[in-house]
Each structure stands twice: as structure tokens, then as C-alpha cells.
Amino acid sequence: MARLKVKHNGKLLQDIPLDPGKIYVAGRKEDCDIPLLAEKTISREHFHLLCKQNEWQLEVVSRFGELLFQNEKVQNLPLTDSLVFHIPPYEFDFIVEAVENRNSSLSLGAHEVNEDRTFVGRLEQVPFIKFIGSDRQETQLLRLEGGDAWLAGRDSSSAIPIKDQRVSRRQFEIRKTDSGYGIIDLGSVNGTLLNGNNISSTDVTPLRSGDAITVLDNTLYFELHDPNFMERVQNVDYDQVSRALVETTPVESFPPPAAHGNYPVADPGIYGPDPYAPYGNPGAAQPPPVQAENFLAKLKAKKLQVVIGVLAVVLVAGMLMDNTKNTGRTIAGNSKGNPNDPFNRLSKEQQILVKQSFQLAQSYYESDNSELCRAELSKIREVMPEYKKSFWAKDIENLDQSAEQKIFLITKQKEFEAKEKMLAEQEHTINEVTSNCKLNLKPQTTREEFEACISPAVTLNPTHHLLETLRAEFALLEMQMQKQSQDKKEYQEQAEKLQRLFSQAERIDKNENMTEAIEAYRKVTNSKLADPKNLKSRAQRILSSLKSQIGTKTAGLLAEAEKLAQNKNYKQAIINLRMARKVNPQSDELNDKIDNYVKALQKEMKILWDEAIIEESFGKVMPDENNSGAIGKWKKILEQDIPDGNFYQKAMIKLKKYGAN
């Protein structure tokens, strides 16, 4: 029988039994037989698994996706036992399990039976580690697969990971030996105990199934299991088992017919009158003996599918062996007339009551009413407290033990059926919950909504593979939504920043500072920021308008400056041209005009300055009726020269000197 194990990042997701008559499709499409999460490396239909002429084949159907075997890309691959291939982050293990002949899965006819022990088949032994929690309940059953040695430690990559930071990374190792299995400590800090005793770090200590391994307060059990045990039990041929049991039991070991074939009675020819005589002829009126095959047939009819089936076989075989050994015993002994036998000390009514209760107990046992059987045996013990000294002792004990064993079997069967029913209901609930949550999974689903949706399944089995798959899908969706949210936030921040730049340009434009406004609008148009409101286009249109206005205004100021210069009003002409240059600083014509007018103005001012200096030298500083004097000429320079002119500054100094400014 072939199986495919699917692992994601080292964690087992699926263990799929493969039907040779079916083609299996693997990929991220929802209806794939082997569903894979939506990774970049996974196609909707990535590969096919099919069986051709009793050989399994792998065929890659993806056009762009890769499939790796031994780190090389392959398109077709014949599958053999324990073959491993990859589609990162997935790993696939192909396993072929040996299928035994159903008729030989439990055949007693071929097994040796002697007076000491009975061999019930050779079973495959596979090592397991059972983890026990603080409540002494099993928390995990780990199968040890691959290789001949398994490392245990706190490292998650260990074959046997122990989730305790106090445990060493390399705590101990379980090894396969010639004689079975062994364990060795790896020089750990806290040491390793086997059944309460420290184990060596130099020599391998033998391991037996059921041994307890302790590290600090962490308890693990080493167990050997038959991995195909359930299949073996289901395939038991109960008729064959019963025949083998009867064949291996000597004929002379079976007692004479009685109320129950497993419980012999005294031969009246040897031991006196039959104690059952009041209730009819034991040879004709009593029911036929109940042999092992009757009980096994009932087990077969009930189709026990657990350990109970095999356990029943062993228990019944043991009962037959006990009866075989005890058949030669004188059952009634010397009870007749024996004053020491408690039965003979009973009154006739009490003896009748004992016989009636025993016969009823046998009848109840035969009809599977083991509780009532034991109740009748309890009545015998009440009437005859010293029954163990009576010739009835062995018969009562045997029947009581058989009833107890049958009750145990039935109880275990009911427990198993109840557990199976509970697990089936849990599986159904988990399937329904995960399917519904997957159907309702939307981009806007929040973490709280998702957890609330899957909570009914989480309470049943928080690590179920369907939940793990759904969690992975939600995590991927959540990452995508977070990325979209972050992108949206960044986009909004950029849009707001561009809006601030545009608003600043508008404020400058309103203050009629055209040069600064142009520069501010240029920042908007050259920006790489998000522009949901088309602000860059608006800024470009405004720039074009401002440039047009600058041309018009510059031309007007230039024409006015020329008129002023013709009237020798060089100062105002220069002021107008400088205003025009602020509007259009790149104009070479304006700069040339300004330089020319400044030179002409300075010539005019030099004449006035020279005249003022001459008058000052003649002492005509103050103005009089006929002359403005030097002071008058210096004041005229202040009126006609530009503030940054050379003569303007000199005139200011002279006026300050004479206190006339």
C-alpha cells in the first residue's frame, strides 16, 4: 500500500493513502486531491500522481513551476519506497507499506502451542515515544522514522524535541542495536534517567518497550508498536482462530456436558448422585457445551476492530489452558460425607440455593449477562462464606474470572466505540467549521472575527491539519491586507504633503510675489509625490499664466523706465527696472538697462557733488537768498540719487557733519 506524506516547512500536513486506480492532482486549485497553499512556486495544477502497471509515477504538469528531486529539477519521476521530493516550502515523502496476506495476519494453526505459552503471530515492531504531561495524560505520540538513531533535546530540529529550555540541546540519543534498541546520554547538564536510574554517557543502555525516560520533570515512554495492528485485528479470521484453539486443546481435557461447557461437574458413577439431579437429567436436559468458537463467533459478528479482538482470543485461550490443566482434578473430591467441606455443612435448602445460583450464573454467562452472572456467584459466597474450601471453589472462581474478563472486553469495546464516535463527531464539526470559515474569509476579515469563527474547532483539536491550513491562508491574506493598508497610508501621506506644497505656493501667489510663487509652483510640478487631485497639472497651468504675466509686466516697466530716462529721471527709471528684474530675474536686457541708467545718474550726481565741494571750499556751506549753498546741493543729491549710489552716501555724511540731515 502506497502513501504520500505532505509536509510544509517541516510540519506534517497530510498523510494520504494512495489508490492505484485513481489519478491524484496536486496544486493550489481548490478541488485538487492534494491541496497546496498559494505560494509563488505553486501552480494551480502542479503535478499528477498515478499508478501505471503497478508502478507509481510522478508527472509535472506545471509550465513554470519547479519540482526538485535531490536538488535537481525533474519533469517525470518513478516513485519508490522512502523517496523524497520537494516544491519549496513543501516536502513530499512517498512510502510503500508491505501488505501481509489477510489469511496469515493471525493464524494460530501455524503457531506453536505448548503447556507454557501460546505464540500469536510475529508483529512488526516500530519505535514510538509517548510524551506524558503533568496531569499524567498522554500529550503526544511520536513515531521514530528514518535512520538508526534519533536525537532528543530542546532544539526544535531534534527528532525528539523536548519543549523545555532547561533541557540540553543534545540531551540523549536512542539508537537501533543488533539486539533491539538502546539509549545513551550525550553529556547533558542535568543527566537522563531510565526507569529512575541514571544512564551512561559512554555506553549504550538497552531499551525495552514501556521503559520510562525522565529528564528533570519531563517524562517520556519508549514503546514498540505494530503500525498495522488495526488492520491485523480487522482481518482476523475468527473461525480459523477458534478451530486452531480447539485443535490445540486435547479432547480428553474437555469436561462432561453441564449447564456450561467450560465448568465440569462430577461424574455420578464415581462421585455419587449428580448435584444437579433435582433440575433434570444432566445428560439430556442441560444445554450443549459452549466451546471457544461460540464466543469467538460472537466477537466476529460484532466486528471488534481494536485490541479487544486479539485480547479476547488470548484470554479465551488462557481459559481453555486453565481448564485443560484442571480437568484431571477430582472436582467433587471426597465431598460426600466429608464434614470438612463447607457445602456439606449447609442445610438442604441452602445447598439447593447454591446449585440454583450456580446454574443461573452459568446461564447468564452464556447469554452475555456477565453482571447478573457475578451477582449470582455473590449469593453463593453469602450463603457459603468458606466456599474456597469447598469442591465448588475452582468452578466458582473460573466462572467469576471469565465473567469479569467478558465485562472488561465489553467495557473496552464500548469505550472504543464511544471514543470513535466522539472523534468522528469532532472531525465532522471541524470540517464544517473550517469549510464555513474558509467560505466567509474576506479581505476585510479581522483577526478577532477569524478566531471567533474557528473557535468551535479549536476547542476540539487546536492542532488539526485543517485548522493549520486555514490559519496559513488567513496569515497570507492578513499579510496582503497589511501591505495594502501600509501602501494606502503612504499614498495618503504623500498626497497630503503635495497638498501642503500647493497651498504654500497659492499663499505666495496671493502676496503678488511672482518670483517666489513661480519657484513654489515649480516644487509642486517637480515632485514625485502621489497626486490624486491633479495638483501638478494645476500648478503647471498657473506657472504658464505667471510667466505670461511676467512678460507683460516686464514690458510695461521697461517702457515706463525709458520715458523717465528721456526726462533724465534716472532714479525712478532704475527703480522701475529693478522691479521688473524681480519679476523676471533672468532677463539680460533689464540688467543692461539698469547698468546704463546707473552710469548716467552717477555722471549727473558727480556734477552736483563737485559744485557742492567748491562752494564748501569758499565757505558757502549754508544757503542764502542768492545761492542754495553746499548743503542745498547735497540735499539735491539725496533727492535724485539712488540710495545705494556712491554720491548718495557721501552727501549723507556731509549733511551729518553740518547737522543738516
Side-chain angles (χ1 to χ4, degrees):
M1 178 181 181
R3 308 183 70 84
L4 185 70
K5 293 188 176 183
V6 183
K7 300 178 182 178
H8 183 269
N9 289 326
K11 186 170 186 179
L12 182 64
L13 294 182
Q14 293 176 282
D15 188 353
I16 306 170
L18 302 177
D19 181 359
K22 181 177 178 180
I23 297 177
Y24 292 84
V25 180
R28 57 183 171 84
K29 195 166 64 172
E30 291 185 358
D31 58 351
C32 282
D33 305 290
I34 307 172
L36 307 176
L37 294 180
E39 304 276 359
K40 291 182 180 179
T41 55
I42 308 298
S43 299
R44 288 176 58 79
E45 287 193 13
H46 205 98
F47 67 85
H48 290 174
L49 282 183
L50 63 158
C51 189
K52 295 180 179 179
Q53 299 178 350
N54 295 325
E55 291 185 357
W56 283 92
Q57 301 283 333
L58 181 147
E59 297 178 356
V60 178
V61 295
S62 171
R63 294 178 59 190
F64 307 105
E66 298 178 354
L67 188 141
L68 303 178
F69 173 63
Q70 296 181 347
N71 293 325
E72 294 184 2
K73 299 178 184 178
V74 296
Q75 289 296 318
N76 296 280
L77 187 65
L79 300 178
T80 57
D81 185 29
S82 302
L83 184 142
V84 178
F85 57 94
H86 298 81
I87 306 175
Y90 285 94
E91 176 183 312
F92 304 86
D93 297 348
F94 180 81
I95 299 172
V96 179
E97 298 177 345
V99 180
E100 297 184 8
N101 191 314
R102 288 176 177 262
N103 294 329
S104 63
S105 61
L106 184 59
S107 175
L108 292 179
H111 301 152
E112 179 184 356
V113 180
N114 58 36
E115 63 180 3
D116 294 321
R117 43 182 190 160
T118 302
F119 295 94
V120 189
R122 260 182 96 93
L123 302 179
E124 180 186 356
Q125 300 292 296
V126 176
F128 285 78
I129 289 293
K130 180 165 68 177
F131 291 81
I132 302 299
S134 57
D135 57 355
R136 309 306 300 167
Q137 298 297 314
E138 177 183 333
T139 60
Q140 182 184 2
L141 186 63
L142 176 66
R143 178 172 176 169
L144 303 182
E145 297 181 290
D148 296 330
W150 300 273
L151 173 67
R154 75 168 186 267
D155 198 323
S156 59
S157 64
S158 301
I160 309 171
I162 304 175
K163 298 177 180 178
D164 188 336
Q165 292 302 312
R166 300 172 298 169
V167 175
S168 299
R169 289 185 180 277
R170 294 170 54 84
Q171 180 70 31
F172 64 84
E173 188 173 75
I174 293 177
R175 298 176 182 175
K176 199 170 186 178
T177 64
D178 294 338
S179 59
Y181 294 88
I183 183 172
I184 186 170
D185 186 80
L186 299 177
S188 63
V189 175
N190 300 295
T192 305
L193 302 180
L194 180 65
N195 298 323
N197 300 314
N198 280 304
I199 64 172
S200 171
S201 60
T202 56
D203 300 320
V204 177
T205 303
L207 260 181
R208 295 176 301 175
S209 182
D211 281 351
I213 304 169
T214 308
V215 181
L216 297 173
D217 54 359
N218 300 282
T219 302
L220 305 83
Y221 282 91
F222 176 79
E223 297 181 350
L224 294 175
H225 293 184
D226 174 15
N228 300 316
F229 181 76
M230 294 302 294
E231 183 178 352
R232 296 178 192 277
V233 175
Q234 291 173 356
N235 297 330
V236 169
D237 187 337
Y238 290 97
D239 292 335
Q240 187 178 4
V241 172
S242 63
R243 287 195 298 273
L245 285 171
V246 175
E247 289 169 2
T248 56
T249 306
V251 175
E252 63 271 15
S253 67
F254 285 93
H260 191 290
N262 292 338
Y263 302 95
V265 298
D267 185 339
I270 300 175
Y271 307 116
D274 185 356
Y276 298 116
Y279 308 103
N281 184 350
Q286 302 303 324
V290 179
Q291 301 297 343
E293 55 264 57
N294 289 19
F295 180 55
L296 291 170
K298 292 182 180 180
L299 293 179
K300 180 180 178 183
K302 294 181 180 180
K303 296 182 180 179
L304 291 178
Q305 298 177 349
V306 287
V307 182
I308 304 168
V310 173
L311 183 59
V313 175
V314 176
L315 291 176
V316 173
M319 290 160 53
L320 289 175
M321 293 298 291
D322 286 341
N323 287 335
T324 300
K325 293 178 181 178
N326 294 323
T327 303
R329 180 176 63 87
T330 302
I331 296 175
N334 297 320
S335 60
K336 185 177 180 181
N338 183 359
N340 294 323
D341 192 314
F343 181 77
N344 291 330
R345 295 200 297 268
L346 299 176
S347 66
K348 187 174 182 179
E349 291 78 9
Q350 289 176 322
Q351 290 180 352
I352 292 173
L353 178 61
V354 168
K355 296 174 184 178
Q356 288 178 335
S357 293
F358 189 79
Q359 187 178 26
L360 281 172
Q362 290 178 310
S363 177
Y364 284 139
Y365 177 83
E366 182 182 356
S367 59
D368 287 339
N369 289 325
S370 297
E371 290 86 355
L372 295 178
C373 170
R374 300 192 74 192
E376 290 299 325
L377 295 177
S378 296
K379 292 180 182 179
I380 295 175
R381 294 187 183 99
E382 291 177 4
V383 174
M384 190 169 54
E386 297 181 344
Y387 76 94
K388 290 186 178 181
K389 298 179 181 180
S390 171
F391 75 100
W392 291 86
K394 188 64 177 178
D395 302 298
I396 293 172
E397 291 296 325
N398 282 346
L399 184 56
D400 190 45
Q401 290 176 10
S402 298
E404 183 181 9
Q405 291 165 352
K406 188 180 287 189
I407 291 172
F408 171 78
L409 293 175
I410 293 172
T411 301
K412 289 298 179 183
Q413 178 191 358
K414 290 180 179 178
E415 289 177 357
F416 172 77
E417 291 174 350
K419 185 175 181 179
E420 286 295 297
K421 182 180 179 182
M422 180 192 71
L423 292 175
E425 290 174 351
Q426 286 184 359
E427 190 70 18
H428 177 71
T429 301
I430 291 172
N431 270 293
E432 279 192 342
V433 169
T434 52
S435 297
N436 181 61
C437 292
K438 184 174 183 178
L439 186 64
N440 294 322
L441 200 58
K442 300 292 189 299
Q444 60 270 23
T445 302
T446 65
R447 168 65 64 173
E448 291 75 16
E449 291 171 341
F450 175 74
E451 294 295 342
C453 184
I454 65 172
S455 60
V458 172
T459 56
L460 298 176
N461 186 354
T463 60
H464 195 280
H465 69 93
L466 291 177
L467 282 172
E468 295 297 326
T469 302
L470 191 58
R471 286 190 180 105
E473 291 183 16
F474 178 74
L476 182 61
L477 181 63
E478 197 173 38
M479 287 175 60
Q480 292 173 348
M481 291 305 299
Q482 288 175 352
K483 180 67 168 57
Q484 291 178 7
S485 177
Q486 183 64 27
D487 291 346
K488 184 177 180 181
K489 182 179 179 182
E490 291 178 359
Y491 182 85
Q492 185 65 31
E493 289 176 350
Q494 289 187 9
E496 291 175 356
K497 187 174 181 180
L498 186 67
Q499 179 65 61
R500 289 194 294 271
L501 289 176
F502 186 82
S503 299
Q504 184 179 9
E506 285 185 318
R507 286 195 298 271
I508 295 172
D509 191 13
K510 287 180 180 178
N511 293 332
E512 297 185 354
N513 191 334
M514 299 178 70
T515 303
E516 292 184 13
I518 288 172
E519 186 61 29
Y521 283 120
R522 280 204 184 101
K523 287 183 180 179
V524 175
T525 57
N526 295 334
S527 171
K528 302 296 183 182
L529 299 173
D531 185 17
K533 297 181 180 179
N534 294 321
L535 297 179
K536 294 179 183 179
S537 298
R538 290 175 59 187
Q540 189 61 51
R541 290 195 296 270
I542 295 172
L543 274 174
S544 299
S545 175
L546 286 174
K547 288 178 181 179
S548 176
Q549 292 178 30
I550 285 173
T552 303
K553 192 169 185 179
T554 300
L557 290 171
L558 186 58
E560 186 177 353
E562 288 178 351
K563 290 180 180 179
L564 291 169
Q566 289 175 2
N567 295 325
K568 294 190 176 184
N569 189 352
Y570 295 113
K571 179 180 180 178
Q572 191 59 45
I574 292 170
I575 291 173
N576 284 1
L577 291 176
R578 285 180 173 177
M579 289 175 58
R581 188 169 60 181
K582 286 183 179 181
V583 175
N584 189 5
Q586 306 300 324
S587 174
D588 293 334
E589 182 183 3
L590 290 175
N591 292 330
D592 293 341
K593 288 281 186 182
I594 291 171
D595 290 342
N596 292 335
Y597 291 160
V598 168
K599 290 177 181 178
L601 179 60
Q602 293 306 304
K603 288 180 181 180
E604 294 290 331
M605 294 302 102
K606 188 175 184 311
I607 295 171
L608 283 175
W609 173 260
D610 290 342
E611 290 177 356
I613 293 301
I614 292 171
E615 290 192 2
E616 181 186 21
S617 64
F618 286 103
K620 296 182 180 180
V621 176
M622 302 303 294
D624 54 24
E625 294 179 358
N626 299 319
N627 195 336
S628 61
I631 288 178
K633 289 181 172 54
W634 288 328
K635 287 183 177 180
K636 191 173 181 179
I637 289 173
L638 293 181
E639 291 175 1
Q640 296 181 5
D641 198 5
I642 53 179
D644 56 339
N646 292 331
F647 296 104
Y648 186 93
Q649 298 299 326
K650 291 179 179 181
M652 285 285 293
I653 293 171
K654 289 292 185 180
L655 290 173
K656 285 181 180 180
K657 178 180 177 181
Y658 294 103
N661 55 339

